[in-house]
PDB file of all heavy atoms in Angstrom:
ATOM      1  N   ASP A  17      -5.525  30.777  -3.131  1.00  0.00           N
ATOM      2  CA  ASP A  17      -5.527  31.182  -4.601  1.00  0.00           C
ATOM      3  C   ASP A  17      -4.211  31.410  -5.125  1.00  0.00           C
ATOM      4  O   ASP A  17      -3.522  32.344  -4.776  1.00  0.00           O
ATOM      5  CB  ASP A  17      -6.375  32.478  -4.844  1.00  0.00           C
ATOM      6  CG  ASP A  17      -6.540  32.722  -6.280  1.00  0.00           C
ATOM      7  OD1 ASP A  17      -5.817  32.238  -7.182  1.00  0.00           O
ATOM      8  OD2 ASP A  17      -7.466  33.596  -6.661  1.00  0.00           O
ATOM      9  N   HIS A  18      -3.657  30.433  -5.971  1.00  0.00           N
ATOM     10  CA  HIS A  18      -2.260  30.437  -6.480  1.00  0.00           C
ATOM     11  C   HIS A  18      -1.934  31.610  -7.336  1.00  0.00           C
ATOM     12  O   HIS A  18      -0.847  31.951  -7.588  1.00  0.00           O
ATOM     13  CB  HIS A  18      -1.985  29.219  -7.286  1.00  0.00           C
ATOM     14  CG  HIS A  18      -2.066  27.954  -6.431  1.00  0.00           C
ATOM     15  ND1 HIS A  18      -0.878  27.303  -5.936  1.00  0.00           N
ATOM     16  CD2 HIS A  18      -2.981  27.151  -6.084  1.00  0.00           C
ATOM     17  CE1 HIS A  18      -1.138  26.261  -5.178  1.00  0.00           C
ATOM     18  NE2 HIS A  18      -2.425  26.114  -5.333  1.00  0.00           N
ATOM     19  N   THR A  19      -2.991  32.407  -7.796  1.00  0.00           N
ATOM     20  CA  THR A  19      -2.753  33.575  -8.563  1.00  0.00           C
ATOM     21  C   THR A  19      -2.578  34.740  -7.706  1.00  0.00           C
ATOM     22  O   THR A  19      -2.248  35.885  -8.276  1.00  0.00           O
ATOM     23  CB  THR A  19      -3.816  33.752  -9.589  1.00  0.00           C
ATOM     24  OG1 THR A  19      -4.978  34.056  -8.880  1.00  0.00           O
ATOM     25  CG2 THR A  19      -4.073  32.517 -10.484  1.00  0.00           C
ATOM     26  N   LYS A  20      -2.791  34.682  -6.436  1.00  0.00           N
ATOM     27  CA  LYS A  20      -2.763  35.888  -5.538  1.00  0.00           C
ATOM     28  C   LYS A  20      -1.445  36.220  -4.858  1.00  0.00           C
ATOM     29  O   LYS A  20      -1.294  37.125  -4.182  1.00  0.00           O
ATOM     30  CB  LYS A  20      -3.908  35.816  -4.543  1.00  0.00           C
ATOM     31  CG  LYS A  20      -5.251  35.658  -5.066  1.00  0.00           C
ATOM     32  CD  LYS A  20      -5.827  37.058  -5.553  1.00  0.00           C
ATOM     33  CE  LYS A  20      -7.163  36.911  -5.979  1.00  0.00           C
ATOM     34  NZ  LYS A  20      -7.516  37.466  -7.133  1.00  0.00           N
ATOM     35  N   PHE A  21      -0.486  35.200  -4.915  1.00  0.00           N
ATOM     36  CA  PHE A  21       0.753  35.358  -4.171  1.00  0.00           C
ATOM     37  C   PHE A  21       1.921  34.714  -4.993  1.00  0.00           C
ATOM     38  O   PHE A  21       1.683  33.829  -5.823  1.00  0.00           O
ATOM     39  CB  PHE A  21       0.726  34.825  -2.801  1.00  0.00           C
ATOM     40  CG  PHE A  21       0.502  33.295  -2.523  1.00  0.00           C
ATOM     41  CD1 PHE A  21       1.602  32.492  -2.519  1.00  0.00           C
ATOM     42  CD2 PHE A  21      -0.755  32.861  -2.618  1.00  0.00           C
ATOM     43  CE1 PHE A  21       1.373  31.116  -2.403  1.00  0.00           C
ATOM     44  CE2 PHE A  21      -0.890  31.432  -2.469  1.00  0.00           C
ATOM     45  CZ  PHE A  21       0.069  30.482  -2.321  1.00  0.00           C
ATOM     46  N   ASN A  22       3.105  35.248  -4.675  1.00  0.00           N
ATOM     47  CA  ASN A  22       4.303  34.624  -5.407  1.00  0.00           C
ATOM     48  C   ASN A  22       5.084  33.890  -4.373  1.00  0.00           C
ATOM     49  O   ASN A  22       5.306  34.399  -3.306  1.00  0.00           O
ATOM     50  CB  ASN A  22       5.112  35.784  -5.846  1.00  0.00           C
ATOM     51  CG  ASN A  22       4.635  36.625  -7.000  1.00  0.00           C
ATOM     52  OD1 ASN A  22       3.823  35.948  -7.799  1.00  0.00           O
ATOM     53  ND2 ASN A  22       4.555  37.905  -6.995  1.00  0.00           N
ATOM     54  N   PRO A  23       5.358  32.612  -4.764  1.00  0.00           N
ATOM     55  CA  PRO A  23       6.020  31.785  -3.694  1.00  0.00           C
ATOM     56  C   PRO A  23       7.569  32.212  -3.592  1.00  0.00           C
ATOM     57  O   PRO A  23       8.164  32.649  -4.603  1.00  0.00           O
ATOM     58  CB  PRO A  23       6.057  30.364  -4.419  1.00  0.00           C
ATOM     59  CG  PRO A  23       5.859  30.666  -5.682  1.00  0.00           C
ATOM     60  CD  PRO A  23       5.000  31.879  -5.926  1.00  0.00           C
ATOM     61  N   ASP A  24       8.066  32.145  -2.475  1.00  0.00           N
ATOM     62  CA  ASP A  24       9.452  32.342  -2.160  1.00  0.00           C
ATOM     63  C   ASP A  24      10.305  31.176  -2.247  1.00  0.00           C
ATOM     64  O   ASP A  24       9.736  30.087  -2.601  1.00  0.00           O
ATOM     65  CB  ASP A  24       9.641  33.211  -0.888  1.00  0.00           C
ATOM     66  CG  ASP A  24       9.185  32.362   0.369  1.00  0.00           C
ATOM     67  OD1 ASP A  24       8.999  31.117   0.197  1.00  0.00           O
ATOM     68  OD2 ASP A  24       9.139  32.971   1.357  1.00  0.00           O
ATOM     69  N   ASP A  25      11.614  31.216  -2.026  1.00  0.00           N
ATOM     70  CA  ASP A  25      12.498  30.155  -2.257  1.00  0.00           C
ATOM     71  C   ASP A  25      12.134  29.030  -1.303  1.00  0.00           C
ATOM     72  O   ASP A  25      12.374  27.798  -1.546  1.00  0.00           O
ATOM     73  CB  ASP A  25      14.013  30.558  -2.066  1.00  0.00           C
ATOM     74  CG  ASP A  25      14.618  31.335  -3.142  1.00  0.00           C
ATOM     75  OD1 ASP A  25      13.841  31.581  -4.171  1.00  0.00           O
ATOM     76  OD2 ASP A  25      15.639  31.922  -3.043  1.00  0.00           O
ATOM     77  N   GLU A  26      11.660  29.315   0.017  1.00  0.00           N
ATOM     78  CA  GLU A  26      11.248  28.262   0.888  1.00  0.00           C
ATOM     79  C   GLU A  26      10.115  27.494   0.407  1.00  0.00           C
ATOM     80  O   GLU A  26      10.058  26.327   0.609  1.00  0.00           O
ATOM     81  CB  GLU A  26      10.960  28.929   2.245  1.00  0.00           C
ATOM     82  CG  GLU A  26      10.730  27.913   3.360  1.00  0.00           C
ATOM     83  CD  GLU A  26      10.484  28.503   4.687  1.00  0.00           C
ATOM     84  OE1 GLU A  26      10.948  29.699   4.980  1.00  0.00           O
ATOM     85  OE2 GLU A  26       9.844  27.984   5.537  1.00  0.00           O
ATOM     86  N   VAL A  27       9.086  28.047  -0.273  1.00  0.00           N
ATOM     87  CA  VAL A  27       7.881  27.440  -0.740  1.00  0.00           C
ATOM     88  C   VAL A  27       8.427  26.562  -1.904  1.00  0.00           C
ATOM     89  O   VAL A  27       7.949  25.517  -2.148  1.00  0.00           O
ATOM     90  CB  VAL A  27       6.864  28.434  -1.205  1.00  0.00           C
ATOM     91  CG1 VAL A  27       5.796  27.727  -1.994  1.00  0.00           C
ATOM     92  CG2 VAL A  27       6.297  29.139   0.014  1.00  0.00           C
ATOM     93  N   LEU A  28       9.388  26.969  -2.563  1.00  0.00           N
ATOM     94  CA  LEU A  28       9.780  26.221  -3.772  1.00  0.00           C
ATOM     95  C   LEU A  28      10.869  25.196  -3.467  1.00  0.00           C
ATOM     96  O   LEU A  28      11.367  24.648  -4.353  1.00  0.00           O
ATOM     97  CB  LEU A  28      10.398  27.212  -4.986  1.00  0.00           C
ATOM     98  CG  LEU A  28       9.372  28.285  -5.585  1.00  0.00           C
ATOM     99  CD1 LEU A  28      10.104  29.232  -6.382  1.00  0.00           C
ATOM    100  CD2 LEU A  28       8.278  27.472  -6.344  1.00  0.00           C
ATOM    101  N   ASP A  29      11.079  24.947  -2.288  1.00  0.00           N
ATOM    102  CA  ASP A  29      12.068  23.859  -1.896  1.00  0.00           C
ATOM    103  C   ASP A  29      11.578  22.648  -2.464  1.00  0.00           C
ATOM    104  O   ASP A  29      10.440  22.116  -2.228  1.00  0.00           O
ATOM    105  CB  ASP A  29      12.114  23.852  -0.301  1.00  0.00           C
ATOM    106  CG  ASP A  29      13.173  22.752   0.145  1.00  0.00           C
ATOM    107  OD1 ASP A  29      13.916  22.335  -0.576  1.00  0.00           O
ATOM    108  OD2 ASP A  29      13.157  22.538   1.365  1.00  0.00           O
ATOM    109  N   THR A  30      12.519  21.992  -3.283  1.00  0.00           N
ATOM    110  CA  THR A  30      12.076  20.636  -3.912  1.00  0.00           C
ATOM    111  C   THR A  30      12.273  19.465  -3.077  1.00  0.00           C
ATOM    112  O   THR A  30      12.018  18.365  -3.637  1.00  0.00           O
ATOM    113  CB  THR A  30      12.934  20.494  -5.241  1.00  0.00           C
ATOM    114  OG1 THR A  30      14.300  20.553  -4.849  1.00  0.00           O
ATOM    115  CG2 THR A  30      12.668  21.836  -6.115  1.00  0.00           C
ATOM    116  N   HIS A  31      12.796  19.580  -1.848  1.00  0.00           N
ATOM    117  CA  HIS A  31      12.954  18.241  -1.147  1.00  0.00           C
ATOM    118  C   HIS A  31      11.750  17.452  -1.032  1.00  0.00           C
ATOM    119  O   HIS A  31      11.871  16.297  -0.997  1.00  0.00           O
ATOM    120  CB  HIS A  31      13.732  18.625   0.268  1.00  0.00           C
ATOM    121  CG  HIS A  31      15.097  19.104   0.096  1.00  0.00           C
ATOM    122  ND1 HIS A  31      15.342  20.467   0.113  1.00  0.00           N
ATOM    123  CD2 HIS A  31      16.174  18.336  -0.084  1.00  0.00           C
ATOM    124  CE1 HIS A  31      16.714  20.534   0.012  1.00  0.00           C
ATOM    125  NE2 HIS A  31      17.232  19.280  -0.068  1.00  0.00           N
ATOM    126  N   PHE A  32      10.631  18.068  -0.775  1.00  0.00           N
ATOM    127  CA  PHE A  32       9.374  17.395  -0.443  1.00  0.00           C
ATOM    128  C   PHE A  32       8.986  16.753  -1.827  1.00  0.00           C
ATOM    129  O   PHE A  32       8.246  15.589  -1.782  1.00  0.00           O
ATOM    130  CB  PHE A  32       8.345  18.201   0.018  1.00  0.00           C
ATOM    131  CG  PHE A  32       7.685  19.281  -0.910  1.00  0.00           C
ATOM    132  CD1 PHE A  32       6.474  18.926  -1.443  1.00  0.00           C
ATOM    133  CD2 PHE A  32       8.223  20.324  -1.058  1.00  0.00           C
ATOM    134  CE1 PHE A  32       5.863  19.810  -2.387  1.00  0.00           C
ATOM    135  CE2 PHE A  32       7.581  21.378  -1.915  1.00  0.00           C
ATOM    136  CZ  PHE A  32       6.397  20.882  -2.564  1.00  0.00           C
ATOM    137  N   LEU A  33       9.173  17.252  -3.009  1.00  0.00           N
ATOM    138  CA  LEU A  33       8.716  16.862  -4.308  1.00  0.00           C
ATOM    139  C   LEU A  33       9.525  15.470  -4.577  1.00  0.00           C
ATOM    140  O   LEU A  33       9.006  14.619  -5.351  1.00  0.00           O
ATOM    141  CB  LEU A  33       8.930  17.729  -5.339  1.00  0.00           C
ATOM    142  CG  LEU A  33       7.847  18.811  -5.521  1.00  0.00           C
ATOM    143  CD1 LEU A  33       8.213  19.628  -6.838  1.00  0.00           C
ATOM    144  CD2 LEU A  33       6.491  18.181  -5.835  1.00  0.00           C
ATOM    145  N   ARG A  34      10.817  15.385  -4.204  1.00  0.00           N
ATOM    146  CA  ARG A  34      11.689  14.360  -4.651  1.00  0.00           C
ATOM    147  C   ARG A  34      11.233  13.005  -4.333  1.00  0.00           C
ATOM    148  O   ARG A  34      11.555  11.970  -4.986  1.00  0.00           O
ATOM    149  CB  ARG A  34      13.034  14.670  -4.129  1.00  0.00           C
ATOM    150  CG  ARG A  34      13.711  15.705  -4.822  1.00  0.00           C
ATOM    151  CD  ARG A  34      15.191  16.048  -4.311  1.00  0.00           C
ATOM    152  NE  ARG A  34      15.617  17.230  -4.894  1.00  0.00           N
ATOM    153  CZ  ARG A  34      16.483  18.077  -4.237  1.00  0.00           C
ATOM    154  NH1 ARG A  34      16.947  17.656  -3.114  1.00  0.00           N
ATOM    155  NH2 ARG A  34      16.987  19.190  -4.732  1.00  0.00           N
ATOM    156  N   ASP A  35      10.515  12.944  -3.151  1.00  0.00           N
ATOM    157  CA  ASP A  35      10.105  11.601  -2.603  1.00  0.00           C
ATOM    158  C   ASP A  35       8.834  11.055  -3.337  1.00  0.00           C
ATOM    159  O   ASP A  35       8.370   9.918  -3.158  1.00  0.00           O
ATOM    160  CB  ASP A  35       9.820  11.559  -1.100  1.00  0.00           C
ATOM    161  CG  ASP A  35      11.180  11.863  -0.452  1.00  0.00           C
ATOM    162  OD1 ASP A  35      12.146  11.558  -0.997  1.00  0.00           O
ATOM    163  OD2 ASP A  35      11.050  12.442   0.751  1.00  0.00           O
ATOM    164  N   PHE A  36       8.130  11.841  -4.189  1.00  0.00           N
ATOM    165  CA  PHE A  36       6.861  11.448  -4.780  1.00  0.00           C
ATOM    166  C   PHE A  36       7.115  10.926  -6.161  1.00  0.00           C
ATOM    167  O   PHE A  36       7.973  11.528  -6.882  1.00  0.00           O
ATOM    168  CB  PHE A  36       5.776  12.667  -4.721  1.00  0.00           C
ATOM    169  CG  PHE A  36       5.645  13.203  -3.369  1.00  0.00           C
ATOM    170  CD1 PHE A  36       5.620  14.638  -3.251  1.00  0.00           C
ATOM    171  CD2 PHE A  36       5.335  12.443  -2.298  1.00  0.00           C
ATOM    172  CE1 PHE A  36       5.351  15.172  -1.960  1.00  0.00           C
ATOM    173  CE2 PHE A  36       5.196  13.045  -1.079  1.00  0.00           C
ATOM    174  CZ  PHE A  36       5.048  14.446  -0.883  1.00  0.00           C
ATOM    175  N   ASP A  37       6.306   9.987  -6.521  1.00  0.00           N
ATOM    176  CA  ASP A  37       6.473   9.461  -7.930  1.00  0.00           C
ATOM    177  C   ASP A  37       5.131  10.018  -8.660  1.00  0.00           C
ATOM    178  O   ASP A  37       5.227   9.751  -9.959  1.00  0.00           O
ATOM    179  CB  ASP A  37       6.554   8.010  -7.992  1.00  0.00           C
ATOM    180  CG  ASP A  37       5.607   7.170  -6.980  1.00  0.00           C
ATOM    181  OD1 ASP A  37       5.992   7.134  -5.908  1.00  0.00           O
ATOM    182  OD2 ASP A  37       4.736   6.494  -7.505  1.00  0.00           O
ATOM    183  N   LEU A  38       4.142  10.502  -8.049  1.00  0.00           N
ATOM    184  CA  LEU A  38       2.965  10.937  -8.772  1.00  0.00           C
ATOM    185  C   LEU A  38       2.474  12.233  -8.107  1.00  0.00           C
ATOM    186  O   LEU A  38       2.242  12.237  -6.892  1.00  0.00           O
ATOM    187  CB  LEU A  38       1.932   9.943  -8.815  1.00  0.00           C
ATOM    188  CG  LEU A  38       0.478  10.320  -9.448  1.00  0.00           C
ATOM    189  CD1 LEU A  38       0.723  10.669 -11.005  1.00  0.00           C
ATOM    190  CD2 LEU A  38      -0.555   9.303  -9.291  1.00  0.00           C
ATOM    191  N   LEU A  39       2.254  13.311  -8.949  1.00  0.00           N
ATOM    192  CA  LEU A  39       1.536  14.483  -8.507  1.00  0.00           C
ATOM    193  C   LEU A  39       0.216  14.623  -9.015  1.00  0.00           C
ATOM    194  O   LEU A  39      -0.028  14.423 -10.246  1.00  0.00           O
ATOM    195  CB  LEU A  39       2.379  15.735  -8.885  1.00  0.00           C
ATOM    196  CG  LEU A  39       3.862  15.683  -8.436  1.00  0.00           C
ATOM    197  CD1 LEU A  39       4.626  16.912  -9.160  1.00  0.00           C
ATOM    198  CD2 LEU A  39       4.136  15.795  -6.879  1.00  0.00           C
ATOM    199  N   VAL A  40      -0.890  14.833  -8.180  1.00  0.00           N
ATOM    200  CA  VAL A  40      -2.201  14.832  -8.585  1.00  0.00           C
ATOM    201  C   VAL A  40      -2.737  16.332  -8.261  1.00  0.00           C
ATOM    202  O   VAL A  40      -2.639  16.700  -7.256  1.00  0.00           O
ATOM    203  CB  VAL A  40      -2.953  13.826  -7.960  1.00  0.00           C
ATOM    204  CG1 VAL A  40      -4.521  13.868  -8.408  1.00  0.00           C
ATOM    205  CG2 VAL A  40      -2.468  12.435  -8.101  1.00  0.00           C
ATOM    206  N   TYR A  41      -3.213  16.792  -9.326  1.00  0.00           N
ATOM    207  CA  TYR A  41      -3.728  18.299  -9.260  1.00  0.00           C
ATOM    208  C   TYR A  41      -5.253  18.327  -9.617  1.00  0.00           C
ATOM    209  O   TYR A  41      -5.705  17.531 -10.476  1.00  0.00           O
ATOM    210  CB  TYR A  41      -2.992  19.179 -10.126  1.00  0.00           C
ATOM    211  CG  TYR A  41      -1.546  19.427  -9.749  1.00  0.00           C
ATOM    212  CD1 TYR A  41      -0.562  18.670 -10.255  1.00  0.00           C
ATOM    213  CD2 TYR A  41      -1.222  20.231  -8.633  1.00  0.00           C
ATOM    214  CE1 TYR A  41       0.693  18.971  -9.970  1.00  0.00           C
ATOM    215  CE2 TYR A  41      -0.036  20.446  -8.225  1.00  0.00           C
ATOM    216  CZ  TYR A  41       1.066  19.818  -8.865  1.00  0.00           C
ATOM    217  OH  TYR A  41       2.270  19.909  -8.516  1.00  0.00           O
ATOM    218  N   GLY A  42      -5.943  19.259  -9.083  1.00  0.00           N
ATOM    219  CA  GLY A  42      -7.227  19.585  -9.712  1.00  0.00           C
ATOM    220  C   GLY A  42      -7.084  20.473 -10.959  1.00  0.00           C
ATOM    221  O   GLY A  42      -5.971  20.864 -11.261  1.00  0.00           O
ATOM    222  N   ARG A  43      -8.194  20.533 -11.719  1.00  0.00           N
ATOM    223  CA  ARG A  43      -8.015  21.121 -13.131  1.00  0.00           C
ATOM    224  C   ARG A  43      -7.463  22.512 -13.096  1.00  0.00           C
ATOM    225  O   ARG A  43      -6.439  22.840 -13.807  1.00  0.00           O
ATOM    226  CB  ARG A  43      -9.332  21.214 -13.748  1.00  0.00           C
ATOM    227  CG  ARG A  43      -9.311  21.727 -15.153  1.00  0.00           C
ATOM    228  CD  ARG A  43     -10.695  22.049 -15.756  1.00  0.00           C
ATOM    229  NE  ARG A  43     -11.628  22.788 -14.837  1.00  0.00           N
ATOM    230  CZ  ARG A  43     -11.660  24.142 -14.869  1.00  0.00           C
ATOM    231  NH1 ARG A  43     -10.872  24.874 -15.533  1.00  0.00           N
ATOM    232  NH2 ARG A  43     -12.462  24.716 -14.036  1.00  0.00           N
ATOM    233  N   LYS A  44      -7.825  23.375 -12.244  1.00  0.00           N
ATOM    234  CA  LYS A  44      -7.440  24.703 -12.179  1.00  0.00           C
ATOM    235  C   LYS A  44      -6.044  24.896 -11.827  1.00  0.00           C
ATOM    236  O   LYS A  44      -5.227  25.520 -12.485  1.00  0.00           O
ATOM    237  CB  LYS A  44      -8.233  25.644 -11.248  1.00  0.00           C
ATOM    238  CG  LYS A  44      -9.691  25.871 -11.901  1.00  0.00           C
ATOM    239  CD  LYS A  44     -10.352  26.866 -10.777  1.00  0.00           C
ATOM    240  CE  LYS A  44     -11.866  27.072 -11.536  1.00  0.00           C
ATOM    241  NZ  LYS A  44     -12.471  28.163 -10.740  1.00  0.00           N
ATOM    242  N   THR A  45      -5.491  24.123 -10.729  1.00  0.00           N
ATOM    243  CA  THR A  45      -4.074  24.177 -10.400  1.00  0.00           C
ATOM    244  C   THR A  45      -3.346  23.573 -11.455  1.00  0.00           C
ATOM    245  O   THR A  45      -2.130  24.087 -11.768  1.00  0.00           O
ATOM    246  CB  THR A  45      -4.027  23.462  -9.218  1.00  0.00           C
ATOM    247  OG1 THR A  45      -4.803  24.022  -8.034  1.00  0.00           O
ATOM    248  CG2 THR A  45      -2.560  23.472  -8.650  1.00  0.00           C
TER     249      THR A  45
END
Side-chain angles (χ1 to χ4, degrees):
D17 185 342
H18 291 265
T19 64
K20 301 283 188 224
F21 64 93
N22 294 320
D24 59 15
D25 289 354
E26 187 176 335
V27 171
L28 293 174
D29 183 8
T30 61
H31 289 98
F32 77 95
L33 276 183
R34 292 182 186 147
D35 294 335
F36 303 133
D37 45 285
L38 174 65
L39 304 174
V40 180
Y41 293 101
R43 179 188 56 84
K44 288 185 179 185
T45 303

